[in-house]
Amino acid sequence: SLAFKPTASSTSGGHSVSQAVSPVNGSINVAAQGPNHTLYSYWELESSGSYTGVWHGPLGIGAPGSTFSGATIVAQGNGTAGGLGNFDIAVQGPSNTGDLYWDISGKWYGPYQFAGPGTVFGTPGMVEDSQGNLQIAVQGPSNTLYVYWNTSGAYYGPLGIGGPNSTFSAPSMSRSGDNVYATVQGRNHDLES
């Protein structure tokens, strides 16, 4: 069973946290907005099929003034690109940008601005597709739903999949086979996918 273990450092109140499990070593990795609009990462390593109960972090990934939403983290290697065990984190950056941070073999890089100023209003949703590429959904201006995606390291978008006044929450994303889904709270407090 998995028990709640407090961490040594606080996160910034009011925003959600996100977690992902490494397909390589089974470690649990958590991303959160820290104090002063920073971005933090925490992790717990798995040893011989059981949890150690020892959390590590916070590791400061984003500097003060870099993070203005909850963070979304995904583990790479769940698609056909092959279990690398690296992680990606998406956040709302300064001036309502969409910013991405990524880890390669334990070293963090970023921010990379995948969405320009005035385009991201809240926590992004993110998923790795069946080809190992990232797809990122955001609540855009005028409560729209925008999607950004990468192919061979280049980012594209926005693709407007929800018109004005269609999106009233942060999107949640999932994948089933080759299909990618984004679910949001719609204008009538309903769920729309």
Side-chain angles (χ1 to χ4, degrees), residues 1-9 11 19 28 30 42-44 51-56:
S1 72
L2 181 63
F4 175 74
K5 306 276 188 199
T7 59
S9 180
T11 63
Q19 70 177 12
I28 300 171
V30 175
Y42 302 85
W43 63 99
E44 180 185 34
Y51 294 98
T52 63
V54 178
W55 281 91
H56 303 276

Side-chain angles (χ1 to χ4, degrees), residues 6-20:
T7 59
S9 180
S10 65
T11 63
S12 179
H15 290 290
S16 61
V17 298
S18 179
Q19 70 177 12

Side-chain angles (χ1 to χ4, degrees), residues 52-133:
T52 63
V54 178
W55 281 91
H56 303 276
L59 175 64
I61 297 172
S66 67
T67 305
F68 292 85
S69 71
T72 300
I73 186 171
V74 298
Q76 291 180 330
N78 294 315
T80 59
L84 301 174
N86 298 324
F87 294 92
D88 298 288
I89 299 175
V91 298
Q92 176 188 320
S95 302
N96 298 96
T97 58
D99 289 350
L100 184 73
Y101 298 81
W102 64 100
D103 143 79
I104 299 174
S105 301
K107 183 174 180 181
W108 284 95
Y109 299 89
Y112 173 80
Q113 190 179 95
F114 68 85
T119 58
V120 178
F121 294 86
T123 304
M126 184 167 52
V127 68
E128 183 186 45
D129 67 20
S130 62
Q131 302 302 308
N133 298 312

